[in-house]
Amino acid sequence: MIRIKAGVRRRRVLSLALPTAWGATAITYKLACPLAQQEGLGARIVTSAVFFAVGTGLIFHVRWALLRELRLARQVAGAAQSVLLRPLPQRIDGLRVAAAQLSADRGAVVGGDLYEVIATEHGVRVVMGDVRGHGIGAIGTVAAVLGSFREAVHDEAELGSVLRRLERALARHLGELDPDSPVAEEFVTVLLLEIGGDGEVRAFNCGHPAPYLLSGDRADVLTSGEPLPPLGPFPLPAELSAEHYGQLLPGESLLLHTDGVEDARDANGRFFPLPAVLAEAVRTQPISPQAVLRAIFTRLLRHTGGPPTDDVAVLVLRNDRRPVPTRQQEPSVAHQVT
């Protein structure tokens, strides 16, 4: 800590030393140099050249200081991202995983989208969320929800109890903010999944876009019942019952995303055709999560012609577990798709 404070003080001294030296040089020249007191054309040219050099030096110093502050800000943002949206392992309990996000704020590395995948004794638990705001202003809400999820998934046997923990964490976070702050009225859409050892998928959907099932050469939207409201504006029902999405069989993949993907528009106002992009991506067999991500983000940036207007996050999980021998298999629950 002492070294850090000393380094900060040293940088402050250095940042002030050069402007002070340039200013002292200009003042000394004007007051002490006989040439500066003369009225001739040659003397005026020399004086102008001196002050031009001083001004140029100050401009370059300010530019250097701003670039240094920008580098420091990016380092801080990168550190925040590594804590909030830490890189996911490529494999988690037999599932192959790939995820990526893109912030709508220019220069920001963290936005209002969140995701996490954690293996627990209750199964692999997954969260995908989207804060109403985006960019730097949404970081506090993202941290509150993700921090609660990372603890609750290990503590709570029931998936519904995990969801209630997320709700309480969000309520505490918003309650600590200034009531007049626009952030105090934020809400979060959440898709909470649990993938059992047999591939059974159970979920709670709180106002979030439905996931896609990538199976064979098909990409289908998984739906089951009416979604719950987003966390924040309305309390959860007294009774919570997880929806069953069937089984994620070996070789199949789930794709989770935030609404920034399908809401992205091109110059003519047309929405991004995610179903068509997925249908094209699954034609390459076997389906690779990294290849699916690459296809989506490549087409998305081409579609929008630049950074999107909303935060974007995509998460792909592929079941790479070994199939259970036929004589031990139980009849699988049919996928519910639309």
Side-chain angles (χ1 to χ4, degrees):
M1 181 63 70
I2 295 177
R3 290 183 179 179
I4 294 175
K5 291 182 178 179
V8 171
R9 286 196 296 268
R10 185 165 53 252
R11 284 195 296 269
R12 288 177 178 174
V13 170
L14 291 176
S15 65
L16 294 174
L18 187 57
T20 302
W22 281 111
T25 300
I27 294 173
T28 300
Y29 172 80
K30 184 64 178 175
L31 298 179
C33 182
L35 188 62
Q37 313 302 322
Q38 300 179 12
E39 297 295 332
L41 178 61
R44 291 182 177 180
I45 292 176
V46 173
T47 300
S48 298
V50 170
F51 280 93
F52 177 78
V54 171
T56 302
L58 289 174
I59 291 174
F60 276 106
H61 174 75
V62 171
R63 181 177 181 273
W64 171 81
L66 290 176
L67 289 175
R68 181 172 58 84
E69 292 299 325
L70 179 59
R71 285 194 297 269
L72 291 175
R74 287 179 174 174
Q75 290 174 1
V76 172
Q81 183 184 38
S82 66
V83 174
L84 294 179
L85 293 183
R86 56 193 180 191
L88 298 176
Q90 293 186 357
R91 292 183 182 274
I92 299 178
D93 194 19
L95 302 179
R96 192 172 176 184
V97 182
Q101 64 89 33
L102 182 63
S103 175
D105 281 6
R106 184 180 296 273
V109 255
V110 181
D113 293 345
L114 60 97
Y115 54 79
E116 182 64 285
V117 183
I118 298 178
T120 74
E121 61 179 309
H122 315 294
V124 175
R125 288 176 165 175
V126 185
V127 66
M128 171 70 79
D130 186 357
V131 181
R132 185 192 65 167
H134 60 77
I136 300 299
I139 288 181
T141 306
V142 171
V145 175
L146 278 182
S148 176
F149 174 80
R150 287 165 178 162
E151 290 186 1
V153 290
H154 295 289
D155 298 340
E156 305 294 344
E158 295 297 325
L159 192 62
S161 299
V162 176
L163 184 60
R164 292 198 186 278
R165 291 272 293 270
L166 300 187
E167 180 188 41
R168 291 197 295 269
L170 177 61
R172 285 195 301 270
H173 168 69
L174 298 180
E176 294 170 354
L177 300 176
D178 183 350
D180 296 329
S181 170
V183 180
E185 298 181 356
E186 281 184 344
F187 61 83
V188 183
T189 66
V190 170
L191 180 60
L192 185 63
L193 295 177
E194 181 180 276
I195 304 174
D198 59 354
E200 181 185 5
V201 181
R202 301 167 64 245
F204 286 101
N205 189 335
C206 298
H208 199 81
Y212 280 81
L213 172 68
L214 310 182
S215 178
D217 58 354
R218 292 175 56 86
D220 299 304
V221 178
L222 287 176
T223 59
S224 181
E226 290 294 325
L228 297 169
L231 298 182
F234 305 103
L236 291 172
E239 298 292 332
L240 288 176
S241 178
E243 302 290 345
H244 290 262
Y245 283 168
Q247 282 185 301
L248 183 66
L249 302 176
E252 295 181 338
S253 300
L254 282 177
L255 181 138
L256 286 64
H257 65 93
T258 55
D259 60 6
V261 179
E262 293 182 308
D263 289 348
R265 302 194 186 200
D266 62 9
N268 297 319
R270 292 173 297 192
F271 291 104
F272 180 67
L274 180 59
V277 173
L278 290 178
E280 181 180 341
V282 296
R283 291 174 188 161
T284 303
Q285 296 293 328
I287 301 172
S288 164
Q290 289 78 8
V292 174
L293 283 184
R294 186 163 52 250
I296 292 174
F297 279 91
T298 300
R299 291 285 298 274
L300 179 68
L301 293 175
R302 188 185 308 163
H303 180 81
T304 57
T309 57
D310 193 9
D311 297 328
V312 170
V314 181
L315 170 65
V316 184
L317 304 106
R318 172 186 166 90
N319 187 350
D320 274 0
R321 296 166 177 166
R322 293 182 179 180
V324 179
T326 304
R327 64 176 180 274
Q328 298 180 8
Q329 284 184 348
E330 297 179 359
S332 61
V333 180
H335 292 298
Q336 304 178 45
V337 300
T338 60

